């Protein structure tokens, strides 16, 4: 009598089960997102108060008679200083929120002690990051829309260009913004000191990408760093499309740079995740914090 | 049969508890040395865009528009003082509000709550270590900023430190009420971020409050911290102040007692309420 047992997988993985896992992560993230009523505050108040710090500083620098504003307009070529600052600060907010939300997706699981058990389920592990990203993209585009509405209605910011081209530049930036988030999530889970890395990456954007000033005001060595950051092209492209009536042809250099950086960061994000997963299994450090 | 408490809380045990909480936080903080380094550079990173933006508003390095509001064209020194003080604002907000959320997440809030010490004391303890760290970090930040952007105090720095003390103590009262809100809502990140940002924005950490929209100026003038920042800048940079400095100091000291009393009262009420609801350990 043959008594050999055939090893069988308990979970039958397939495209459908992967999609189901992706949906489950997406739904879980959504439930957590709306569980805390403060998300309303985050969506309604954050778009206003973060740019306000820079806008009010700009008002103070303008002086009571607005004389400084003429100098700013001449230096930047901007016709609306509020719109100019809002574009830069919103891009910074976008990258910042992605780093905290997507970048911390795995780290939060690690802190809650659920990462190891999730890791043992028969699903494609990248789904955990993709699921967190899905919710994040929806909330982030709502955030951008609310920013536009609030500044349009409350501060009279008007577009002097093509909003669809501004949207195109924004969409072209998605792969680089989220690719960076994926790479970040994987590094954080290995190196643990997550806050520091958020501060470092968002600090680079804040210093070098010209969120409140034109990059040309930076010293030459800082400008050469700025050209390696996709957010520089995103800020420049959206400002040009929304406030300087730039045409598609004029935006092509920004779009090309954003797509190239997007491909690069998506690959880096994916392969960093693969590397982290292998390393975590070898060292057994996945559940440690 | 006489009921006896197992612990004998007295002044010494309360002090010991404070010391233990602070020591624990100190150890946790230095466990992540990169975080410590990044805390020095964080404020500098935040003000770098203002430095370059100020250049876009200046002619020959002079921000004359700013001088018309504040009485000084040295906008970087003005902002650096505000940044150093806002480091302390952030410490109280994060130390009191977020610390509770951390304890909720770690599942130790209920057990800490059962310890025989005053609960506001737990909150104060959570800020002691971070206040020490913030002081060290703010000094280092000012030294680095002086080299990078220039920092030119023309007045009395020690007097400024004395004036900042009642402002900071008053902030603790605010922190108690804020911690109560975290206990109720069980969410801290957004509350702490938005709360500290609003306080910084309304009290003029980066600009004179006269630059606020006219409908916000009364709100700014109703916050005691506005006078704290104004008086500190007045004695350090000889800027034009909203009120005579001795009046601003008087306002700060009286508001310090008032805020502490209101904050402690709100915290006690809310804490009693969450215990009645049984939601203390939930998150």
């Amino acid at each position: 009598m043959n008594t050999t047992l055939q090893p069988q997988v308990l979970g039958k993985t397939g495209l459908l089960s992967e999609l189901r896992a992706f949906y489950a992560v997406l739904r879980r993230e959504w439930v957590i997102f709306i569980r805390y009523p403060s998300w309303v505050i985050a969506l309604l108040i954050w778009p206003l108060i973060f740019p306000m710090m820079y806008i009010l500083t700009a008002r103070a620098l303008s002086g009571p008679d607005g004389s400084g504003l003429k100098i700013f307009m001449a230096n930047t070529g901007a016709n609306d200083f509020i719109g100019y600052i809002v574009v830069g600060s919103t891009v910074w907010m976008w990258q910042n929120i992605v780093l905290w939300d997507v970048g911390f997706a795995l780290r939060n699981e690690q802190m809650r002690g659920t990462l190891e058990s999730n890791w043992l389920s028969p699903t494609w592990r990248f789904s955990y990051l993709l699921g967190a990203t899905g919710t994040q993209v929806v909330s982030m585009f709502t955030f951008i829309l609310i920013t536009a509405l609030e500044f349009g209605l409350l501060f009279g910011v008007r577009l002097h260009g093509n909003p669809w081209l501004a949207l195109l530049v924004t969409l072209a930036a998605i792969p680089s913004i989220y690719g960076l988030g994926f790479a970040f999530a994987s590094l954080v889970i290995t190196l643990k000191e997550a806050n520091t890395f958020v501060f470092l990456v968002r600090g680079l954007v804040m210093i070098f990408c010209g969120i409140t000033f034109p990059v040309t005001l930076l010293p030459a060595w800082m400008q050469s760093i700025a050209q390696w950051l996709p957010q520089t092209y995103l800020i420049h492209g959206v400002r040009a499309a929304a406030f300087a009536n730039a045409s598609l042809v004029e935006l092509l250099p920004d779009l090309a740079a954003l797509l190239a950086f997007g491909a690069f960061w998506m690959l880096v994000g994916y392969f960093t995740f693969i590397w982290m997963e292998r390393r975590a299994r070898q060292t057994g450090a996945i559940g440690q914090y | 049969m006489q009921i006896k408490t197992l612990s004998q809380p007295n002044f010494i045990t309360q002090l010991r508890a404070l010391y233990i909480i602070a020591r624990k936080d100190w150890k946790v903080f230095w466990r992540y040395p990169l975080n410590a380094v990044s805390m020095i550079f964080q404020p500098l990173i935040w003000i770098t865009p203002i430095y370059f933006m100020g250049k876009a508003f200046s002619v020959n390095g002079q921000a004359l528009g700013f001088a018309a509001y504040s009485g000084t064209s040295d906008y970087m020194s003005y902002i650096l003082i505000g940044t150093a003080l806002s480091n302390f604002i952030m410490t109280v907000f994060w130390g009191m509000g977020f610390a509770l959320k951390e304890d909720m997440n770690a599942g130790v809030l209920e057990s800490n709550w059962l310890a025989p010490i005053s609960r506001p004391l737990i909150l104060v303890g959570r800020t002691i270590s971070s206040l020490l760290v913030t002081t060290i970090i703010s000094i280092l930040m000012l030294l680095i900023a002086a080299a990078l952007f220039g920092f030119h105090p023309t007045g009395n720095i020690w007097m400024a430190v004395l004036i900042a003390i009642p402002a900071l103590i008053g902030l603790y009262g605010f922190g108690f009420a804020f911690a109560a809100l975290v206990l109720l809502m069980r969410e801290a990140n957004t509350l702490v971020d938005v709360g500290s940002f609003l306080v910084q924005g309304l009290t003029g950490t980066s600009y004179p409050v006269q630059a606020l929209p006219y409908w916000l100026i009364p709100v700014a003038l109703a916050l005691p911290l506005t006078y704290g920042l104004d008086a500190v800048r007045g004695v350090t940079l000889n800027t034009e102040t909203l009120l005579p400095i001795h009046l601003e100091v008087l306002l700060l000291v009286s508001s310090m007692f008032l805020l502490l009393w209101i904050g402690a009262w709100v915290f006690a009420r809310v804490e009693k309420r969450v215990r009645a609801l049984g939601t203390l350990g939930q998150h």
Side-chain angles (χ1 to χ4, degrees):
Chain A
M1 196 173 101
N2 186 5
T3 55
T4 310
L5 283 172
Q6 282 294 317
Q8 277 198 345
V9 283
L10 290 171
K12 302 265 192 210
T13 53
L15 181 65
L16 206 61
S17 63
E18 295 297 350
L19 281 175
R20 210 163 39 232
F22 172 73
Y23 171 71
V25 177
L26 197 77
R27 212 183 73 170
R28 183 202 61 186
E29 292 295 325
W30 183 253
V31 169
I32 292 174
F33 177 68
I34 58 167
R35 160 68 186 81
Y36 300 100
S38 58
W39 67 270
V40 178
I41 299 172
L43 275 182
L44 295 180
I45 297 179
W46 256 138
L48 273 182
I49 60 169
F50 177 68
M52 283 311 286
M53 292 295 279
Y54 290 114
I55 290 167
L56 291 171
T57 309
R59 264 173 73 111
L61 287 162
S62 303
D65 59 353
S67 56
L69 199 56
K70 294 188 187 87
I71 303 165
F72 180 79
M73 302 272 196
N75 280 330
T76 58
N79 48 21
D80 180 342
F81 84 99
I82 296 181
Y84 188 89
I85 291 172
V86 168
V87 168
S89 55
T90 304
V91 167
W92 181 86
M93 287 283 285
W94 186 8
Q95 186 65 76
N96 179 44
I97 295 173
V98 166
L99 291 176
W100 286 113
D101 286 359
V102 178
F104 268 65
L106 299 177
R107 176 72 176 153
N108 285 339
E109 297 274 4
Q110 198 177 34
M111 297 292 279
R112 285 194 289 251
T114 50
L115 187 66
E116 278 175 305
S117 43
N118 283 348
W119 233 239
L120 289 172
S121 70
T123 50
W124 185 40
R125 282 157 196 156
F126 204 60
S127 303
Y128 296 114
L129 272 183
L130 288 180
T133 306
T135 316
Q136 217 285 327
V137 170
V138 173
S139 67
M140 206 56 233
F141 271 80
T142 313
F143 181 92
I144 292 172
L145 184 69
I146 289 171
T147 306
L149 285 173
E150 286 181 340
F151 279 92
L153 294 172
L154 300 175
F155 292 88
V157 173
R158 294 287 175 268
L159 297 182
H160 302 285
N162 188 336
W164 297 109
L165 285 179
L167 180 67
L168 182 69
V169 178
T170 310
L171 290 174
I174 288 179
S176 47
I177 301 267
Y178 288 91
L180 186 62
F182 294 155
F184 186 77
S186 310
L187 279 180
V188 160
I189 208 163
T190 312
L191 300 170
K192 314 287 194 257
E193 290 190 79
N195 298 14
T196 314
F197 289 99
V198 173
F199 295 154
L200 177 72
V201 177
R202 74 181 195 181
L204 288 175
V205 176
M206 193 167 255
I207 292 173
F208 294 100
C209 298
I211 63 168
T212 58
F213 54 87
V215 175
T216 48
L217 274 181
L218 292 169
W221 69 270
M222 290 178 83
Q223 287 188 41
S224 48
I225 294 174
Q227 67 183 359
W228 288 100
L229 298 169
Q231 296 84 355
T232 306
Y233 302 94
L234 173 59
I235 292 171
H236 180 264
V238 173
R239 277 179 186 153
F243 299 111
N245 207 16
S247 66
L248 181 61
V249 176
E250 287 169 306
L251 291 173
L252 277 181
D254 289 324
L255 286 169
L258 284 173
L259 292 175
F261 276 115
F264 171 77
W265 279 112
M266 274 290 165
L267 286 173
V268 170
Y270 182 72
F271 285 109
T272 312
F273 181 84
I274 300 291
W275 165 79
M276 179 279 295
E277 191 200 0
R278 193 181 306 127
R279 185 181 178 279
R281 274 189 289 149
Q282 281 168 352
T283 58
I286 195 119
Q288 294 172 2
Y289 62 96
Chain B
M1 195 177 132
Q2 285 289 316
I3 298 170
K4 280 173 69 165
T5 53
L6 289 172
S7 61
Q8 306 274 308
N10 56 37
F11 184 66
I12 300 291
T13 59
Q14 304 287 319
L15 277 184
R16 202 160 50 227
L18 264 186
Y19 168 71
I20 285 166
I21 294 168
R23 203 180 73 168
K24 185 251 314 172
D25 285 342
W26 180 262
K27 276 174 88 168
V28 171
F29 180 80
W30 292 109
R31 163 66 186 79
Y32 303 100
L34 274 180
N35 270 347
V37 175
S38 84
M39 277 184 73
I40 299 171
F41 290 98
Q42 265 309 293
L44 295 173
I45 288 169
W46 280 86
I47 56 175
T48 303
I50 299 178
Y51 173 73
F52 286 108
M53 187 168 72
K55 279 181 174 291
F57 277 93
S58 305
V59 179
N60 300 324
Q62 293 292 308
L64 297 175
F66 192 83
Y69 268 128
S70 62
T72 175
S73 64
D74 182 8
Y75 68 93
M76 277 317 286
S77 296
Y78 189 96
I79 289 167
L80 279 169
I81 289 175
T83 308
L85 286 175
S86 60
N87 285 347
F88 289 94
I89 298 174
M90 300 284 272
T91 298
V92 172
F93 270 87
W94 285 101
M96 287 185 155
F98 196 69
L100 286 183
K101 180 65 183 171
E102 274 182 338
D103 287 352
M104 281 180 197
N105 282 346
V108 295
L109 186 70
E110 280 174 304
S111 39
N112 285 349
W113 237 236
L114 291 172
I117 60 164
S118 135
R119 277 137 205 171
L121 208 66
I122 297 178
L123 289 179
V124 174
R126 294 302 300 264
T127 59
I128 288 179
S129 158
S130 47
L131 275 181
L132 187 60
V133 169
T134 306
T135 307
I136 297 168
I137 279 169
S138 296
I139 292 169
L140 289 173
M141 181 208 77
L142 284 175
L143 290 174
I144 296 170
L148 289 175
F149 309 121
F151 178 54
H152 313 287
T154 50
N156 188 339
I157 293 182
W158 296 112
M159 181 62 80
V161 172
L162 276 181
I163 292 173
I165 289 171
L168 190 65
I169 297 175
L171 206 60
Y172 267 78
F174 204 78
F176 285 136
F178 192 76
L181 197 63
V182 172
L183 276 183
L184 262 185
M185 295 191 67
R186 286 167 269 158
E187 205 275 347
N189 254 5
T190 309
L191 285 176
V192 172
D193 260 343
V194 172
S196 59
F197 239 82
L198 281 177
V199 169
Q200 289 178 69
L202 289 169
T203 53
T205 51
S206 307
Y207 42 79
V209 288
Q210 296 94 317
L212 285 167
Y214 69 92
W215 52 275
L216 273 179
I217 292 178
V219 183
L221 295 181
L223 296 171
L225 199 58
T226 304
Y227 302 100
L229 280 157
D230 194 50
V232 167
R233 281 175 176 136
V235 296
T236 319
L237 300 174
N238 299 312
T239 52
E240 289 164 16
T241 52
L242 297 163
L243 297 173
I245 289 179
H246 69 274
L247 272 184
E248 292 192 326
V249 173
L250 193 67
L251 244 166
L252 275 176
V253 174
S254 40
S255 67
M256 173 185 84
F257 290 111
L258 187 69
L259 281 172
L260 277 178
W261 181 76
I262 294 174
W265 181 78
V266 170
F267 182 77
R269 298 274 300 198
V270 171
E271 194 258 340
K272 196 172 164 191
R273 170 98 185 125
V274 291
R275 272 192 294 147
L277 289 171
T279 55
L280 192 66
Q282 293 176 5
H283 58 94

